Amino acid sequence: MDLFLQYLANGVVIGSSYVLVAVGLTLIFGILGVVNFAHGEFYMLGAYAGVTAVTLFGMPLPLALAVVLVFSALLGFGAEAILHKPMKNRDATSSIISSFGLAVALQNAALLTLGPQPRLLKTEFSTIPIELGPVFMPLQRALIPVAMMVLIGALYLILRYTWTGRSLRSMSQHATVARLCGVRVERVAVVTFMVGAALAGVAGFLMSSVFMVHPIIGNMIVLKAFTVVILGGMGNILGAAVAGLLLGITESMTSAYLANGLRDIIGFVIVIAVLLFRPQGLFGKAFERS
Amino acid sequence: MKKLAILLVVALVAAAPFVVGGYETNVLMNALLYVILATGLNLVAGYCGQFSFAQGAFYGIGAYTTAILSRDLGTGFWFNFPVGIAVAGLFGLLLGIPALRLKGHFLAIVTIAFQTIVYLTLSQWTSFTGGQTGLPVPSIGPVSLFGTTLFEITSLRSYFWFTLVIAVILLFAVWRLLQSRIGREWIAIRDDETLASAVGLDTTRGKLTAFVGSAALAGAAGVITAHAMRGVTPDDFTIWISATVVAMMIVGGKGTFIGPIIGAVLLTSMPEFLGGFAEYKMFLFGVLLVITVTLLPEGLIGRVRRLRERFS
Amino acid sequence: MTSVPVLEAKNLTRRFGGVVAVNDVSLRVGRSEIVGLIGPNGSGKSTMVNLITGELPADGGRLIFDGADISSQPSYRRARLGMARSFQMLRLFLSLSVEENLLLAHHIRMKSSMFDTIIARRSAVEEENSVRKRARELLAWFDLEEFADNPVSALSIGQQRMVELARGLISEPKLFVLDEPAAGLSPPNVDRLITLIHRMRDEFGMSILLVEHDMRVVRDLCDHVVVLDSGVMIAKGIPEMVVKDPVVVEAYIGSGWKRRAKA
Ligand SMILES: Nc1ncnc2c1ncn2[C@@H]1O[C@H](COP(=O)(O)OP(=O)(O)O)[C@@H](O)[C@H]1O
Ligand SMILES: [Mg+2]
């Protein structure tokens, strides 16, 4: 039982990073209809930016976090100009292929400039252990779910109560109507990409103390995040939050009780099953699949 | 006239190993394999309009079928080749089933999930696939007919010529397929699925045959690769292989016969022209893919054709 | 009129969310008969067509085609059994040539197997050639012969409509369902269309279900008409009687029907 709780906690930590990446992805899909395979690269580059800020420039964590936020948001700004602006009125696969290309380019650019050797973030928090009953982990790790909840909570409030948030939501419901009502669609698109990228970048930074940072970490995380997006229902933020935690926990349990080799596969098997039998996601209402 | 030109090109390619060195022959051999892979992808994505990012997975399935057959049954190329094609085709059928219900984004994601599952299985199921270290595969060796040895396939050159022969046969088969009713039906499904069924076409069968054909070609390339490389490892069949094949098809021009062939040759040989910048290969593939999709969605061949139409 | 109808639709119903687009509608099309399906915009005519040809599944009702129950057959099977259709929003395979558009519709009538065509067996090649010849003949019938090798996208709307008709004809249907074939045609072309539809029935002996807006076309062509309003059948009978039916007139008030009916 104690071990079970420990696995659960580990799953929640990993799941939190999935949530942060997937929420941006689902926003970009839900609002702009773009399937962004380069999203994992925001995570990877955010991680590098954070590690560099802390280890090379000796910044304190909150400042490094701010750097990561700004840096990833800028990446999102650039990505929008490549993946969305020129691709309007094109078929669904165009943006997928293009983002695929961008992912390959960014990843290899990172490999060329930063090299393949992995890095790990070590801060003053990594050595402070905390114990919650039978569950044990370094403080730095325990902060990840907390940071996730703060960020997602803030996002939720922004979407709910600010003018920008309402434009975002109206866009996701009906782009043409939103345009007619005076929503500045171009600006909404840029903001969506920036917010999505910032969330993914922060996730990368937070996880840089748990997993090694190297240029190809974006690969797996983006695939996992897609799994979460589909499980949660395309465009559904709360769905993605719940599904992200669920996937993290499922993986943790699979590796603990079934086989470690199945850990990464399980999500993809689930995703194919869900797309075939429940395309609106686990929680969503009916959704057009084209 | 056209036939003569094709013969000439094939003859030139066949003569290449006499002129260039072993390294270049190896590059050419790779180009041939990618021609088969990209042409295969083109059937399903270019002609039938069902996008797939899983060509690398079928390539791996063909190669691993060979490796596992030679390990467990001690079979040689002539047995492995049809079986590898059939097994890959069977998995193609499996991936085709979601395509009956899903379109666009959702289908693309399923194919990516499939590619990832295959890769993870190859790399994690150590007892069956050898895990990260992979499996050894014997060379094709002597080819004999009625007890007499005709020739031997062990050297790089012999592999190259052998691959060339197979590639030409496969491309000819694809050409016939595209000229036949089924090719026309694939285009119809791509253009307008509702209309295709309204005129009586069985779109289910059409899509499944495209998936099977596409996967079978990748399987064929996989079997040859496994023997030529004397072994397989999971990292030869990652999603980046799929990405490369997609890039080749898109850059050359999807939905045309010649486009993916040109794209495959171009992108395989491109790193060789980069000289000291060869390590930028994948980076450039990515950039090229973005630029092509954005500015030249019909690919090189498509653009050339359009220009020619405009001037005539 | 013979006793066994080509098509018999019984109590078809189809809902879209809360809207009942087709509500318990029945109709019959006899052999070599031209039946009109009319009604104001949004009355459910196209939905009815889609139910009959199988593009949409029905929520209720049955379809008998040529004596067999086809209610659960997918659209491609219905086409093979002898149903052809045209679309209100014209539909053609845009990346193919005019001739290829016709050939595709004839695939279902070809005898040689797929394998024969791949290996280019003599009989298959001969069949393909004879089908091409047939396609040219039909195109000549529609004055489109010279465009056979052009991409369909290069034709005018009027010509594309004719290609749609030729596409239906080449599949040798027993029933041809036409969804507003006159939409977007100029008046002289409408006249031509009327002549062509007459000839289609007289020379090929096929039955036609004609969805139409233009009363002139309906009066010139139809043996019978069925009138829909808000998904419900409100009248049926011979055209002359139906247009005078006060219920029908009422349904059309405001959509310029009276003017057109008198013209
Ligand atoms: N695919 C659909 N989804 C939702 N509603 C539809 C759909 N197709 C038709 N409708 C509705 O059904 C009704 C009948 O439409 P339709 O059959 O196109 O009429 P008509 O062809 O007579 O103009 C209309 O209210 C229309 O809005
Ligand atoms: Mg209509």
Side-chain angles (χ1 to χ4, degrees), chain B residues 176-177 180-182 184-185 187-188 190-192 194-202 205, chain C residues 55 75-76 79-80 87 91-95 103 107-108 110 112 114 117-118 120 128 167:
Chain B
R176 291 281 348 146
L177 206 61
S180 79
R181 254 157 44 194
I182 187 89
R184 212 184 283 143
E185 289 183 12
I187 297 178
R190 177 191 70 193
D191 273 14
D192 188 336
T194 307
L195 177 56
S197 2
V199 300
L201 305 183
D202 184 347
R205 200 183 62 167
Chain C
E55 261 80 55
S75 68
Y76 81 91
R80 288 173 184 201
F87 291 83
R91 274 181 126 139
L92 293 165
F93 298 116
L94 289 176
S95 56
L103 294 184
H107 280 191
I108 52 173
M110 292 216 194
S112 42
M114 197 68 91
T117 65
I118 293 168
E128 174 102 3
R167 176 183 75 206

Side-chain angles (χ1 to χ4, degrees), chain A residues 29 33-35 37 82 86-87 90 92-98 100-109 112 219-220 223 226 230 234 260-261 264-265 268-269 271-272 275-277 279 287-290, chain B residues 51 53 95 97-99 101-110 112-114 116-117 119-121 124 239-240 242-244 246 250 254 279-280 282-287 289-290 292-297:
Chain A
F29 179 81
V34 173
V35 170
F37 270 101
I82 294 172
M87 303 301 253
R90 296 279 285 280
T93 42
S94 293
S95 72
I96 302 181
I97 300 168
S98 185
F100 211 79
L102 184 63
V104 175
L106 286 176
Q107 212 170 98
N108 285 281
L112 289 167
N219 260 343
M220 207 34 120
L223 293 173
F226 266 116
I230 290 163
M234 289 266 192
N260 194 35
D264 288 331
I265 293 184
F268 299 107
V269 176
V271 93
I272 293 183
L275 273 178
L276 280 178
F277 302 112
F287 194 96
E288 191 63 39
R289 277 169 297 162
S290 57
Chain B
F51 221 89
F53 285 91
L95 185 62
I97 292 168
R101 298 189 54 181
L102 304 171
K103 285 191 175 62
H105 296 127
F106 298 90
L107 178 59
I109 290 169
V110 167
I112 288 171
F114 175 81
T116 315
I117 291 173
Y119 169 74
L120 289 171
T121 307
Q124 309 280 332
I239 194 160
W240 303 116
S242 292
T244 307
V246 168
I250 300 282
K254 66 174 195 282
E279 55 186 309
Y280 288 84
M282 278 317 281
F283 173 71
L284 286 173
F285 277 10
V287 173
L289 196 52
V290 173
T292 317
V293 179
T294 313
L295 303 177
L296 209 75

